[in-house]
Amino acid sequence: AGYKVIMGQATHTYFDHPSEPDPEERGFYWATRTTDAHKTFFFQPEHLWNNVAIDRMGSPLTLDGICGENDKFCPELTKPENIVGMQGHLWAETVRTMDQLHYMVFPRLVALAERA
C-alpha cells in the first residue's frame, strides 16, 4: 500500500521480555523466551526471516522448517524502503520502580539505538 512504517518486532524490540531464560528473570514470554542486547542489536528488519533462531521455549528453528520449499511461506518484502525506522517497547504494567524500569530497558535500548 506504500505506507511508511516504524518496525517494532515483538521478538526483538520488546523490552518486557526477559533478558535471559531464568525463572527469576523479570518479564513476559508470549512472543519470545528472551530478548537480550545481542539479539536486539542484530535484528534485521529488512530481512525478517533471517531473524529466525529459536522458538519461545528455546528449541532451535531453521529457515527451511519455517519457510518451506522455495521459501513458500516466507515472502520477501516488496518495498523494504517503506521501513523508515525501528522502535523499542516496554509494556510497563508490572514495572513498579525506576530500578526495575532501568533493568528492563538497559542495555537493550542502547543496542536498539545503535542498530536503528
Side-chain angles (χ1 to χ4, degrees), residues 17 26-28 30 34 45 58 66 76 91 96-97 100 115:
H17 295 303
R26 294 187 63 81
F28 300 113
W30 60 268
T34 63
I66 297 293
E76 289 294 319
W91 300 97
R96 301 290 180 237
T97 68
Q100 290 175 354
R115 183 68 181 109

Side-chain angles (χ1 to χ4, degrees), residues 32-102:
T32 184
R33 183 63 186 107
T34 63
T35 301
D36 60 13
H38 182 269
K39 185 176 181 180
T40 299
F41 182 79
F42 286 101
F43 175 59
Q44 300 176 45
E46 66 281 5
H47 301 289
L48 284 178
W49 306 113
N50 289 346
N51 298 297
V52 171
I54 59 172
D55 67 16
R56 68 182 188 160
M57 299 311 291
S59 300
L61 297 171
T62 64
L63 284 176
D64 291 337
I66 297 293
C67 297
E69 189 175 323
N70 298 321
D71 294 336
K72 178 180 177 180
F73 303 111
C74 297
E76 289 294 319
L77 296 174
T78 57
K79 294 188 176 183
E81 65 274 10
N82 284 347
I83 300 173
V84 296
M86 293 170 52
Q87 173 176 302
H89 304 271
L90 175 66
W91 300 97
E93 66 269 20
T94 63
V95 177
R96 301 290 180 237
T97 68
M98 287 303 288
D99 285 344
Q100 290 175 354
L101 174 87
H102 291 156

Side-chain angles (χ1 to χ4, degrees), residues 11-27:
T11 55
H12 289 71
T13 64
Y14 273 48
F15 302 148
D16 51 338
H17 295 303
S19 291
E20 54 187 77
D22 185 301
E24 294 187 21
E25 181 77 9
R26 294 187 63 81

